[in-house]
């Protein structure tokens, strides 16, 4: 499903050349639950942005579903982001003026889904994360854990095949974080591919496979 071959991402800071990723290679199969673990500044978020087609590598090749990403047009990449990928971020990225229901509905509006189908899919997504009773509340009226559940429902509603989660428990207490991890296990059990970015070894160990990254290098892969 995902194959990165000798991927490098290079930044120039003053006279210095910095490799956020330095000839990193890895592969993820369909249906896997994989964590990418590393300290702050290790390159793991850069890796997620490249996997999620939010950024492009300066060197190397990214193959998605058997096709080199360079062969996709900008329109095709946008479609991949909107239909195939479900993004979940540490800071939730909810729009504060919208209710939970409206935040979850937003990607379906971008997809042009009809109103009746939007309503039904939003209802099911919020039920899946056990938050249908808070659907008319705005983010400021929800706890951190509830906001992350809304963010997961927003990712769920487009029916993606790949979930990319960047530090999804980073702003949550340990009990709430574990509840969110249980949701990821449920998503995985029904066949979704999950790539989870974290600096927390305990969270990383929840995955089937851990990929360690440090200073832009994929140093270690443990089963």
């Amino acid at each position: 499903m995902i194959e990165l071959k000798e991927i490098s991402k290079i930044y120039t800071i003053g006279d210095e050349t910095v490799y956020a990723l330095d000839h990193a290679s890895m592969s993820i199969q369909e249906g896997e639950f994989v964590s990418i673990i590393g300290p702050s500044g290790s390159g793991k978020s850069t890796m997620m942005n490249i996997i999620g087609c939010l950024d492009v590598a300066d060197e190397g090749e990214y193959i998605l579903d058997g096709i080199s990403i360079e062969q996709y047009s900008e329109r095709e990449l946008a479609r991949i982001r909107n239909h195939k990928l479900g993004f979940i971020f540490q800071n939730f990225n909810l729009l504060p003026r919208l209710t939970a229901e409206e935040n979850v509905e937003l990607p379906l509006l971008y997809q042009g889904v009809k109103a009746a189908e939007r309503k039904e899919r939003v209802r099911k997504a919020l039920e899946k994360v056990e938050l249908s009773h808070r659907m008319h509340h705005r983010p400021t009226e929800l706890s951190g854990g509830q906001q992350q559940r809304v963010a997961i429902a927003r990712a769920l509603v487009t029916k993606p095949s790949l979930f990319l989660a960047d530090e999804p428990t980073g702003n949550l207490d340990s009990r709430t974080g574990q509840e969110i991890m249980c949701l990821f296990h449920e998503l995985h059990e029904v066949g979704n591919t999950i790539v989870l970015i974290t600096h927390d070894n305990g969270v990383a160990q929840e995955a089937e496979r851990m990929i360690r990254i440090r200073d832009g290098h994929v140093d270690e892969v443990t089963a």
Side-chain angles (χ1 to χ4, degrees):
M1 185 181 195
I2 293 170
E3 188 171 6
L4 302 180
K5 296 182 177 181
E6 299 288 319
I7 291 291
S8 293
K9 185 67 180 179
I10 307 163
Y11 297 99
T12 301
I13 303 174
D15 295 330
E16 186 179 4
T17 299
V18 177
Y19 278 77
L21 291 173
D22 190 356
H23 297 88
S25 298
M26 57 178 275
S27 63
I28 297 170
Q29 302 303 314
E30 187 171 356
E32 274 198 294
F33 184 176
V34 175
S35 61
I36 299 175
I37 182 170
S40 178
S42 61
K44 59 187 187 299
S45 291
T46 301
M47 179 82 81
M48 193 197 87
N49 288 338
I50 289 173
I51 292 173
C53 303
L54 298 172
D55 200 355
V56 293
D58 294 313
E59 298 175 358
E61 185 177 24
Y62 173 23
I63 298 172
L64 178 63
D65 292 339
I67 301 174
S68 176
I69 209 73
E70 294 178 357
Q71 296 182 30
Y72 290 99
S73 67
E74 282 300 319
R75 178 173 291 185
E76 287 169 334
L77 288 174
R79 179 173 175 80
I80 287 169
R81 288 190 293 267
N82 291 333
H83 292 265
K84 185 180 183 66
L85 306 177
F87 294 95
I88 300 159
F89 298 99
Q90 178 178 356
N91 295 322
F92 320 131
N93 289 9
L94 302 177
L95 296 181
R97 295 189 177 185
L98 301 185
T99 64
E101 179 183 35
E102 291 165 339
N103 268 286
V104 175
E105 183 184 29
L106 202 57
L108 299 181
L109 288 169
Y110 293 141
Q111 289 184 2
V113 176
K114 292 183 179 179
E117 183 181 349
R118 287 201 311 270
K119 184 175 181 179
E120 179 66 9
R121 284 167 65 172
V122 169
R123 181 186 65 79
K124 287 182 177 179
L126 285 168
E127 283 181 355
K128 177 69 176 175
V129 300
E130 299 181 355
L131 214 60
S132 54
H133 64 294
R134 306 283 282 178
M135 65 191 302
H136 299 304
H137 290 72
R138 289 181 170 81
T140 54
E141 301 169 312
L142 302 172
S143 69
Q146 288 172 334
Q147 289 184 63
Q148 191 61 290
R149 286 173 181 270
V150 173
I152 292 172
R154 182 183 57 194
L156 266 173
V157 80
T158 60
K159 300 179 181 178
S161 56
L162 171 62
F163 287 88
L164 294 173
D166 191 3
E167 300 280 8
T169 63
N171 285 338
L172 306 176
D173 62 69
S174 58
R175 182 184 63 82
T176 306
Q178 188 56 48
E179 291 174 356
I180 295 301
M181 290 308 301
C182 285
L183 274 174
F184 282 116
H185 283 295
E186 291 174 11
L187 292 173
H188 178 234
E189 286 168 5
V190 296
N192 292 295
T193 307
I194 299 173
V195 178
L196 189 151
I197 309 293
T198 183
H199 70 277
D200 187 318
N201 195 62
V203 171
Q205 288 179 346
E206 297 262 357
E208 288 181 318
R209 183 160 64 96
M210 292 168 56
I211 297 173
R212 296 189 181 275
I213 185 168
R214 182 180 293 274
D215 298 330
H217 297 276
V218 174
D219 294 323
E220 179 184 349
V221 179
T222 55

